[in-house]
Amino acid sequence: DLSLLKSKFRGSLLGALIGDCLGSSYENEEILTTGMKLILQRSFDKLEGPMFKAPVIQFTDDSAMTYSMAKSLIDTGELDIIDLAKRFVKSYYQEPNRGYGPLVVTVFQKLRGNKFMDILSPAKEQFNGQGSWGNGAAMRVAPITLFCYQNYDKLLDIVRKASQLTHTHKVGVDGAILQAVAVQQSLLLNPNEELNAINFIDDLIHKMNQIEIDDDGLGLSEPQPYKVQLSVMKSLILEEGEESHEEKVVQILGNSVSALYSVPTAIFCFLRAQKPITGIQTENPFRRAIQYAISLGGDADTIGSMTGAIAGAFYGEEKINPNLLQHCEASDEFRNLADQLFNAATA
Ligand code: F2R
Ligand code: MG
Ligand code: MG
Ligand code: MG
């Protein structure tokens, strides 16, 4: 059903935007207290209500880089890594105050400095040659899934290459792969059938097992940190409803700028929000997922955005309250990008 698929494309990019915008003022907060959760609840209620006048909520680096990612794929019709690098850099210098990571900025400076003659070294040199394990490659990955949603091998290849521009640490790259694959699984599921969270996680474990397997050719078994987190996630899903569950989620899955401690968290938020959550009053599972993600605090814009991209890809635009969307900067542009990615992917 092409009209459902189109709605899911829109849902994913708009979900990413909404999570970023609404999460941005909570970035770096501790896990929200009961009082703060009530403020978050009221804020969502107001934004969803009709005729609520408020200044438009600005997006941050997450959406700025998602925008560049989408636009580059649309305009070049492929992954053109130099074009993508130029867009990231141009967008950063046009609006440097979007809340970028303090260290990723060094990559942009070096890329501009070498006039894009050496695209890969700046990211490799980060953190004394270790590369970044931040969630910056994962937070902008949704457009890649939409661009090649039918071709898993191509998806992995493009995600790896696009990540390498800023993130070369295996944990940073594999986090982007996990997020991309989670969006893909959501996109391909029927939102009118009940989602089986355990199957969803098992499919991810199966895929991450392949991806995290020894790839240095030495035949030694590598650590498989994402596979471990996904297994833990399964037990958290099964014990839902227990006391102090959220503290445990943050303790185990994390809420930080590290890809390892934020991408699995976003997947969990989407899955957990299929069912009611104490302290979140809404019938809408899309809103519940984003509100829950933000309530965990920490890297709230990014975890909110990644949760929104996965949830939106599952539910589609129909589940997104149009009033809420109106309060987010550039929502019409993001819908437009989704439509162009849809045209490119289904041509
Ligand atoms: N940076 C932020 N938020 C804090 C600043 C907000 C701003 N001041 C404001 O209020 O306006 N948010 C954005 O950054 C995150 C994505 O980060 P990205 O792109 O991965 O950047 P980076 O610098 O590569 O990594 C992030 C931090 O992770 C630590 N780190 C990463 N790799 C490391 C390594 N190999 N060794 C040691 N530390 C490593 C560093 O602390 C990095 O700074 C998103 O949250 C986005 O919203
Ligand atoms: Mg941000
Ligand atoms: Mg990327
Ligand atoms: Mg963030």
PDB file of all heavy atoms in Angstrom, residues 69 88 136-138 140-141 144 159 162-163 176, ligand 3:
ATOM      1  N   MET A  69      21.486  15.385   5.368  1.00  0.00           N
ATOM      2  CA  MET A  69      21.564  13.980   4.926  1.00  0.00           C
ATOM      3  C   MET A  69      20.501  13.714   3.861  1.00  0.00           C
ATOM      4  O   MET A  69      20.793  13.157   2.796  1.00  0.00           O
ATOM      5  CB  MET A  69      21.341  13.097   6.165  1.00  0.00           C
ATOM      6  CG  MET A  69      21.550  11.635   5.979  1.00  0.00           C
ATOM      7  SD  MET A  69      23.279  11.184   5.845  1.00  0.00           S
ATOM      8  CE  MET A  69      23.267  10.562   4.185  1.00  0.00           C
ATOM      9  N   PHE A  88      27.122  19.380   5.421  1.00  0.00           N
ATOM     10  CA  PHE A  88      27.278  19.419   6.884  1.00  0.00           C
ATOM     11  C   PHE A  88      28.042  20.675   7.304  1.00  0.00           C
ATOM     12  O   PHE A  88      27.665  21.374   8.240  1.00  0.00           O
ATOM     13  CB  PHE A  88      28.043  18.176   7.385  1.00  0.00           C
ATOM     14  CG  PHE A  88      27.238  16.897   7.438  1.00  0.00           C
ATOM     15  CD1 PHE A  88      27.889  15.662   7.464  1.00  0.00           C
ATOM     16  CD2 PHE A  88      25.847  16.905   7.482  1.00  0.00           C
ATOM     17  CE1 PHE A  88      27.165  14.466   7.524  1.00  0.00           C
ATOM     18  CE2 PHE A  88      25.117  15.719   7.542  1.00  0.00           C
ATOM     19  CZ  PHE A  88      25.780  14.494   7.558  1.00  0.00           C
ATOM     20  N   GLY A 136      26.117  11.020  17.181  1.00  0.00           N
ATOM     21  CA  GLY A 136      25.907  11.957  16.073  1.00  0.00           C
ATOM     22  C   GLY A 136      25.672  11.316  14.717  1.00  0.00           C
ATOM     23  O   GLY A 136      25.001  11.905  13.865  1.00  0.00           O
ATOM     24  N   ALA A 137      26.208  10.117  14.480  1.00  0.00           N
ATOM     25  CA  ALA A 137      25.925   9.447  13.200  1.00  0.00           C
ATOM     26  C   ALA A 137      24.540   8.794  13.251  1.00  0.00           C
ATOM     27  O   ALA A 137      23.816   8.776  12.251  1.00  0.00           O
ATOM     28  CB  ALA A 137      26.997   8.411  12.890  1.00  0.00           C
ATOM     29  N   ALA A 138      24.167   8.299  14.426  1.00  0.00           N
ATOM     30  CA  ALA A 138      22.857   7.640  14.576  1.00  0.00           C
ATOM     31  C   ALA A 138      21.706   8.644  14.498  1.00  0.00           C
ATOM     32  O   ALA A 138      20.661   8.353  13.919  1.00  0.00           O
ATOM     33  CB  ALA A 138      22.802   6.887  15.908  1.00  0.00           C
ATOM     34  N   ARG A 140      21.169  11.159  12.759  1.00  0.00           N
ATOM     35  CA  ARG A 140      20.846  11.732  11.443  1.00  0.00           C
ATOM     36  C   ARG A 140      20.593  10.652  10.395  1.00  0.00           C
ATOM     37  O   ARG A 140      20.595  10.929   9.193  1.00  0.00           O
ATOM     38  CB  ARG A 140      22.017  12.620  10.990  1.00  0.00           C
ATOM     39  CG  ARG A 140      23.330  11.842  10.801  1.00  0.00           C
ATOM     40  CD  ARG A 140      24.466  12.714  10.308  1.00  0.00           C
ATOM     41  NE  ARG A 140      25.601  11.928   9.895  1.00  0.00           N
ATOM     42  CZ  ARG A 140      26.812  11.980  10.450  1.00  0.00           C
ATOM     43  NH1 ARG A 140      27.037  12.783  11.474  1.00  0.00           N
ATOM     44  NH2 ARG A 140      27.795  11.247   9.968  1.00  0.00           N
ATOM     45  N   VAL A 141      20.380   9.418  10.820  1.00  0.00           N
ATOM     46  CA  VAL A 141      20.441   8.294   9.901  1.00  0.00           C
ATOM     47  C   VAL A 141      19.106   7.960   9.212  1.00  0.00           C
ATOM     48  O   VAL A 141      19.100   7.291   8.175  1.00  0.00           O
ATOM     49  CB  VAL A 141      21.010   7.055  10.647  1.00  0.00           C
ATOM     50  CG1 VAL A 141      19.907   6.235  11.319  1.00  0.00           C
ATOM     51  CG2 VAL A 141      21.866   6.206   9.735  1.00  0.00           C
ATOM     52  N   ILE A 144      18.571   7.850   5.408  1.00  0.00           N
ATOM     53  CA  ILE A 144      19.248   6.774   4.662  1.00  0.00           C
ATOM     54  C   ILE A 144      18.343   5.547   4.587  1.00  0.00           C
ATOM     55  O   ILE A 144      18.213   4.912   3.538  1.00  0.00           O
ATOM     56  CB  ILE A 144      20.613   6.405   5.298  1.00  0.00           C
ATOM     57  CG1 ILE A 144      21.493   7.652   5.454  1.00  0.00           C
ATOM     58  CG2 ILE A 144      21.319   5.350   4.446  1.00  0.00           C
ATOM     59  CD1 ILE A 144      22.866   7.363   6.063  1.00  0.00           C
ATOM     60  N   VAL A 159      25.069   3.646   5.300  1.00  0.00           N
ATOM     61  CA  VAL A 159      25.154   4.109   6.695  1.00  0.00           C
ATOM     62  C   VAL A 159      26.619   4.127   7.138  1.00  0.00           C
ATOM     63  O   VAL A 159      27.077   5.107   7.748  1.00  0.00           O
ATOM     64  CB  VAL A 159      24.312   3.229   7.644  1.00  0.00           C
ATOM     65  CG1 VAL A 159      24.585   3.598   9.101  1.00  0.00           C
ATOM     66  CG2 VAL A 159      22.832   3.384   7.338  1.00  0.00           C
ATOM     67  N   ALA A 162      28.436   7.083   5.345  1.00  0.00           N
ATOM     68  CA  ALA A 162      27.978   8.410   5.790  1.00  0.00           C
ATOM     69  C   ALA A 162      28.406   8.679   7.229  1.00  0.00           C
ATOM     70  O   ALA A 162      28.687   9.818   7.603  1.00  0.00           O
ATOM     71  CB  ALA A 162      26.463   8.514   5.653  1.00  0.00           C
ATOM     72  N   SER A 163      28.485   7.623   8.037  1.00  0.00           N
ATOM     73  CA  SER A 163      28.905   7.791   9.431  1.00  0.00           C
ATOM     74  C   SER A 163      30.370   8.193   9.513  1.00  0.00           C
ATOM     75  O   SER A 163      30.756   9.038  10.321  1.00  0.00           O
ATOM     76  CB  SER A 163      28.691   6.491  10.214  1.00  0.00           C
ATOM     77  OG  SER A 163      27.337   6.147  10.224  1.00  0.00           O
ATOM     78  N   ALA A 176      24.767   3.758  14.602  1.00  0.00           N
ATOM     79  CA  ALA A 176      24.031   4.315  13.460  1.00  0.00           C
ATOM     80  C   ALA A 176      23.360   3.181  12.679  1.00  0.00           C
ATOM     81  O   ALA A 176      22.209   3.312  12.233  1.00  0.00           O
ATOM     82  CB  ALA A 176      24.970   5.109  12.559  1.00  0.00           C
TER      83      ALA A 176
HETATM   84 MG    MG B   3      25.135   9.046   8.913  1.00  0.00          MG
END
